[in-house]
Each structure stands twice: as structure tokens, then as C-alpha cells.
Amino acid sequence: MKQKISALALSAVISLPAYAVTDPLESPLWDYMRKTFIGNEPYVFDDQVKVELPEFAEDPTQVPITVDASALSGDIQRIISWADLNPIQHIFTYHPHPDIIPRMSLRIKVQQSTAVRAAVLTKDGVWHIGGRYLEAAGGGCSTPSMANADPYWESHLGEMKSRLFPREEGGRYKFKVIHPMDTGLVDAIPEFYIETISVRSEGGEPLARMELSPPVSENPVITFDVRDASKKHRIWLRDNGGNEFEQEL
């Protein structure tokens, strides 16, 4: 597929019934995932939505993933990412803001080899789908977190470290937060994970927001880009236990 999709080509694709659009990753669960995350809304597979992954997940509990929808910047309503064959498929939902470039990186857990996708909803009501296939030995979602064998996290839960890296366009924040991100798929270890991240202005105004799911890796390291590195930003987190954490980046 070409990098740019003409209006005529796009119209032709979205006018087809959903079953007539072939999944380029040939996932057996594509149609089920489509119905789960975007329903019967119009969509197109689009190379402008980039999902970057390693060819093989050497550590299935810490798989780096980057979703880059900057080619559609300014026209985005929502981004959803998921892994087709994970027991918990949803990874994150991103709600953009003009000050934040729609490009983010984090690490995830995978249970087996799977297609990993990002779906970007633009203001015209069309979902743009990108993805990559990831080879993995598996077991990442059902492996106990290291925190369960180390009492350190209990006294450091929610602690954050961050750094701003200047870029040609704005800046890049990278932050890490101490949290076990338990999936609930391990016996006697309940689900415990960060469910909401909010990027806020210095004055506390909510900007971009991400809703996370348990497949995000333990002690999440998340990277995102801002258009104006001279502005100060804060990060606010809440987990499913009701704990809230906030810090200036």
C-alpha cells in the first residue's frame, strides 16, 4: 500500500463489506478483534500507522513497542492498540491533544506469537489500521512479576523517574514508574495495574490521556513526544486499586 491513500481509493475500501477487506497479517482472530475494538465502523489498512516491534520477543514480559500515528497528526480522535492472541488483548487506548505528538513507546507482555495492532480513528469516522506480526516463545502474560518476590515495590509503589530529551521537533519525555502490573492470570496474585495516565499542563489542565491494560509490562517505561519542550508538564497516574500518583516531568 502506498504511504498516501487517495480519497477515491479510501472511498472504495470503506464501501466494501468488512469481510471483503483481507487482513495483511492473516490473523485467525482479525474479524473478532475488529468487532471487539472498532465494531462495524469503516476502516482501512494504512501504512501511515506504524507499529514498530522486534522480530522476536526474547523476553515475552518486556517487549518494546512503538506506535507512530504522526502522519495523521491533527486529525486523530482516538488510538487503540491490542495483541490479537493475548489472553487480555487490549494494550492501551490513547486520547490525543494537539500539544502531544501521537507517537508513543512502551513495553508489553505477550503470551505467544501474535499480530500486534494500532487502530487510529480520524475525524471523518474512519479507522486506520497498522500492525506487525511478532514472533515470541510466549508465557509473558502468565509469568509472575518480579515484584512478588521482592518487598521493594511495596514501599516504592508509584515512584517515578523522568527525563526530557530535546528533539528537532519539540522534545521527548521518557518516564518510568514502579508498579507490578499484575495481570490476574497467575494463581493467588490478583489483577493490579495502572489503568489511567494523564499528561497535564503545569497548571494541571488535562492534555493527552492513556488508558492501560494489564499486558503493559511491570515497572512501565513510557515515552511520548511534545511539540513545545519549553512548556512544563506533569504526569498523573491512577491504578485499579484507587492509588493516585502525580509528578512534574
Side-chain angles (χ1 to χ4, degrees), residues 4 22 31 36 67 72 78-79 100 124 150 181 208 211 221:
K4 297 295 183 181
T22 302
D31 200 49
T36 298
V67 173
L72 300 173
R78 188 161 74 252
I79 301 173
I100 311 296
D124 58 4
D150 185 351
M181 299 299 289
E211 296 157 3
V221 177

Side-chain angles (χ1 to χ4, degrees), residues 3-4 46-50 67-76 101-103 120 122 128 227:
Q3 289 295 314
K4 297 295 183 181
D46 190 345
D47 288 344
Q48 294 181 101
V49 179
K50 302 183 184 302
V67 173
D68 185 352
S70 57
L72 300 173
S73 187
D75 194 34
I76 297 174
I101 298 171
R103 179 172 55 233
V120 180
T122 49
H128 298 251
R227 299 190 188 281

Side-chain angles (χ1 to χ4, degrees), residues 22 32 37 45 86 92 104 115 129 137 144 146 239:
T22 302
Y32 176 77
F37 291 108
F45 293 107
N86 260 5
F92 69 80
M104 67 290 295
I129 314 292
M146 297 293 290
D239 65 24

Side-chain angles (χ1 to χ4, degrees), residues 123-229:
K123 293 177 181 178
D124 58 4
V126 177
W127 288 92
H128 298 251
I129 314 292
R132 288 278 302 279
Y133 190 81
L134 173 69
E135 295 282 355
C141 294
S142 55
T143 299
S145 65
M146 297 293 290
N148 286 284
D150 185 351
Y152 173 89
W153 74 269
E154 293 187 17
S155 59
H156 293 269
L157 182 70
E159 284 189 5
M160 285 180 268
K161 294 181 179 180
S162 63
R163 185 175 176 183
L164 175 64
F165 298 88
R167 291 173 59 83
E168 185 175 336
E169 181 187 6
R172 172 165 293 175
Y173 281 110
K174 184 174 184 179
F175 74 93
K176 177 179 180 179
V177 57
I178 302 298
H179 203 285
M181 299 299 289
D182 289 313
T183 63
L185 300 175
V186 180
D187 288 345
I189 301 176
E191 190 178 68
F192 186 44
Y193 66 99
I194 296 168
E195 59 182 7
T196 304
I197 295 176
S198 177
V199 181
R200 299 183 172 183
S201 69
E202 185 178 16
E205 176 193 0
L207 303 177
R209 188 176 84 252
M210 290 182 72
E211 296 157 3
L212 306 184
S213 285
V216 173
S217 297
E218 177 180 7
N219 299 331
V221 177
I222 298 176
T223 301
F224 66 93
D225 295 351
V226 295
R227 299 190 188 281
D228 187 348

Side-chain angles (χ1 to χ4, degrees), residues 74-127:
D75 194 34
I76 297 174
Q77 290 189 323
R78 188 161 74 252
I79 301 173
I80 303 175
S81 180
W82 70 86
D84 283 15
L85 297 182
N86 260 5
I88 304 171
Q89 293 90 12
H90 180 261
I91 299 169
F92 69 80
T93 298
Y94 171 79
H95 303 269
H97 184 277
D99 288 352
I100 311 296
I101 298 171
R103 179 172 55 233
M104 67 290 295
S105 300
L106 68 167
R107 292 177 181 266
I108 65 171
K109 312 178 190 89
V110 292
Q111 191 68 10
Q112 59 184 299
S113 298
T114 181
V116 180
R117 306 186 193 265
V120 180
L121 178 64
T122 49
K123 293 177 181 178
D124 58 4
V126 177
W127 288 92

